[in-house]
Amino acid sequence: MNKKKNLVKIFGFLCGLAMILTAASVIVRPKDNDVYNLPSYVRTLENLNGEKENTVDVLFAGDSEASDGFSPLQFWSEQGISSFNIANPAQILPDTYALTAQAVKNQDVKLLVLEASCLYLDSDIYSKDPYLRAAEKLFPIVHYHQAYRLLKPRSVSFGKVRKTDALKGFWLKTNVREWVGDPDYMGDPAEPAQPFGYMAGDMMEKLYALCQENGIELLIVSVPAPAYWEYSKHNAVNAWAEEHGVTYIDMNQMNEELGMDWTQDSADGGNHLSFSGTVKVNAWLGQYIKDTYAPADHRGDAQYDSWKDALEETGLYGVNS
Amino acid sequence: MSYHSVGYFAAFLPAVLILYTLTPKEHRWKSLLGASLVFFALWSQWAVIWVFVTALLTWYFGNKLAAMKKAPKGEDRKAFKKHKKRIQTAGVISVVLLLAVLKYTNFFGSTLFGAGWVTKRILVPVGISYYTLQAVSYMTDIADGKYEPAPSFWKLLLYLCFFPTLAEGPIVRFPDVSEQYFAGNDITYVNLTQGYQRILWGLFKKMVIADHLSPAMSSLYTTYKTIGSMSLLAMLFCTIQIYTDFSGTIDIAIGTAQIFGIRLTENFRQPFFAKNAGDFWRRWHITLGVFLRTYIFYPVSLSKPVRTLTKKIQGVFGKKAARYVGPMIALLCVWLTSGIWHGPEWTYVGYGLYYFAVIFIEVLLEEPIKKHIDENALWFRIFRFIKLCVIVGIGELYFMAPDAATAFTMFGSIFTNFRPEVFINEWSMLGPGLTDYMLVFFSFAIVIAVSICKEKNISVRAKLERMPSAVRWSFWYAAVFYVLFFGAYGPGFSAIEMMYAGF
């Protein structure tokens, strides 16, 4: 009798626990798309949602190469392009997809610029450990428990907040570390293509389809990264781009044209651009976007004051908006 | 498979529980042995073979020694004892040699022939340092006639590789656990719930506190090693991290064993309430301390050469000085063994010598302090606590350092390049964010509060058990949720292994 009662107690406790975990899962799980890194997804979305509706024409996406590389304020300052950078360090394609899918709900995005290095990250949002993976799928709170990192005293909101990031998603780096190496760092152009990261190919198809559905042009770019980028990757990205009729620009092949000086233009010995490196890269890319896709110059339009104000607030690139 | 993985809780442990329950009582120890070997193989693959080798050697020498209880009639007792001692020594050397070959080949090779000396990668079985000590204690105790040998080879094998103790101990003696291992106790509601509660406490310490600090440690030991304020932070973090990681894993081991009705020896007893470094080591990694005291300290201090040396010193320097000779030689052996046991690195040897020096000074100062200072005075107790924290902090900073040079650079920076502004401006760039730090310090405050209660003989769990069931259930739901929600695991976190499993 006692044994039966104890078994009922254990079973009851476990059922109660399952109910609590299910309820918590419902609270933290994003509504539309599952993501890998919930805190950076939520913060980026909050910042993006802080922009007025239909004011963002261009989105920049990718991993740290993109978050450290593309500065929307420079594009505003030089070409009057209203853009936002939704990239984050180590951001994988499912998170980029989810952010883009959210962005198109409020914004009339015309161009998505994807930095290619994220294609070499595994695009699986769940853990590799099969047991943990099963637990994450059964109780999404296990997958999204990083939500606690959003519990800062200043903000607990998951929703749409009128608040934006002064740098529009750009991660400005002040450090400089020289890169020394072979100027032909990409190796042999005949290198066989290196396959994308796990599931990255599938996610690219999904992202491409999303762009097509929403009339967004997709532009794939590789920012100069002498310690990281090579022809095996270039060839794989190029093949994908050609197959899908998408433009791919590898700026690693344009070091001279861009005037890259690797004593100053790398933040960390060739992996990421320093601020001076981003200035050179963005100057060229902004002009290219302007010439090729002809986005409107919104400087002087009060609807777009968010960019003007941010530029004044940060004091970057001279205040010539 | 580590003790804090989902696979361990969701698959391995439930499978063992079901198997154990379905097995007839007299054969249940076989379920535990089977589970232990599977656990071993999951972790160390084919290196599981090495535990069989150690067990075979221990079984052979143990039985041989057990058969030599008394000198046969007519045989010279002295010669018999000498022969027995030789067999005991051969047994101990055989298992220690196996440990040395598997774990220390590269260390000794590079020490003797230079850093370029390399061997083929040797797959070291998990827990070899722990089960080798158990094998040594088994053979030594059998030789001393303290207990009967294991009734079968397989039971001895279970003693050496019981899965909860395999990776990090506690290091148990055969008579303390053998009856429990082989009794096939029923799984009771009390043991099951209390076992899981203890496991949860361990997971809380390991995953919510220790693993959150881990990302900061690599930056502190590399980027910030020349900044004194950051070195001080490293000292604090590594002390908290090692304590919560190791004691948390031990909690999981003890909790797992309790589910099967097995009470393992405690390995920690509120170490930061110790009076001095010597006392600290009687509260920290207790089972290693007991092993070293029983099998190194006493035999060395009572050995013939040491006694002879003591007499000689007494003749030259007097009784007072001679009093310290035996214990200090034994203490040096203890700490050298402890250092080298932790791993094939000179930093660990240095770590052992550091504690030898500290405890040696403490012993010398013991009498003058007792004579001139009221040890119960509040100021002295505060001073004693700070002194202990500094001693332990320095030890742990050195212990975790990749090499001695880094450790010395960090110590030096505290006095020569403190730069508090670096700490103020860059603490948030170490890896964990503000929320993580708040979480770690709040959680560690809970650990301290529970330790204070334990030190005052207040059982928090017993108090909780007297509460209404609604309160108890809410508490345990909250506790499980706390670990699941705030633990450092899964997406966004690197998997962090148990720190002491590498020793």
Side-chain angles (χ1 to χ4, degrees), chain A residues 6 9-10 12-13 16-17 20-21 24 36 125 127 131-132 136 141-143 145-146 148-149 151-152, chain B residues 5-7 11 189 192 212 435-436 438-439 473 476-477 480-481 484-487 489-493:
Chain A
N6 288 337
K9 272 204 266 183
I10 292 168
F13 183 84
L17 186 62
I20 290 170
L21 296 182
Y36 175 76
I125 63 164
S127 300
Y131 299 106
L132 183 55
E136 285 173 35
I141 180 70
V142 175
H143 179 73
H145 74 98
Q146 265 202 87
Y148 79 83
R149 284 182 162 158
L151 300 175
K152 278 188 179 172
Chain B
S5 67
V6 178
Y189 179 75
L192 187 73
H212 271 299
T435 324
D436 294 304
M438 282 162 54
L439 181 66
W473 279 46
W476 290 115
Y477 278 139
V480 173
F481 191 77
L484 272 176
F485 195 59
F486 295 119
Y489 67 94
F493 297 94

Side-chain angles (χ1 to χ4, degrees), chain A residues 99-146:
Chain A
L99 283 166
T100 311
Q102 290 295 323
V104 296
K105 287 182 180 171
N106 301 316
Q107 302 294 343
D108 181 18
V109 180
K110 291 164 186 84
L111 175 68
L112 174 67
V113 181
L114 181 74
E115 208 291 329
S117 64
C118 66
L119 286 162
Y120 286 94
L121 298 174
D122 287 349
S123 278
D124 188 359
I125 63 164
Y126 294 105
S127 300
K128 282 202 173 83
D129 176 340
Y131 299 106
L132 183 55
R133 188 184 182 86
E136 285 173 35
K137 287 185 175 177
L138 187 62
F139 297 113
I141 180 70
V142 175
H143 179 73
Y144 290 115
H145 74 98
Q146 265 202 87

Side-chain angles (χ1 to χ4, degrees), chain A residues 238-282:
Chain A
N238 201 41
W240 190 93
E242 276 182 7
E243 192 186 320
H244 293 78
V246 169
T247 307
Y248 170 50
I249 299 168
D250 190 346
M251 297 173 96
N252 289 282
Q253 295 174 315
M254 302 162 54
N255 281 323
E256 260 183 54
E257 191 183 339
L258 295 168
M260 299 307 285
D261 170 6
W262 291 115
T263 60
Q264 299 173 32
D265 291 341
S266 175
D268 49 13
N271 282 304
H272 300 92
L273 294 173
S274 65
F275 183 67
S276 68
T278 66
V279 170
K280 292 173 188 171
V281 164
N282 290 333

Side-chain angles (χ1 to χ4, degrees), chain B residues 55 105 112 128 134 159 174 269 276 309 320 342 383 404 407 440:
Chain B
T105 305
L112 292 172
I128 185 169
Q134 293 194 172
Y159 161 65
F174 185 71
R269 189 168 51 82
N276 51 41
L309 183 69
K320 210 172 175 184
H342 276 95
F383 165 76
V440 164

Side-chain angles (χ1 to χ4, degrees), chain B residues 310 313-314 318-328 367:
Chain B
T310 308
I313 300 263
Q314 193 176 333
K319 232 178 180 178
K320 210 172 175 184
R323 198 170 61 170
Y324 293 110
V325 174
M328 285 308 131
E367 263 186 35

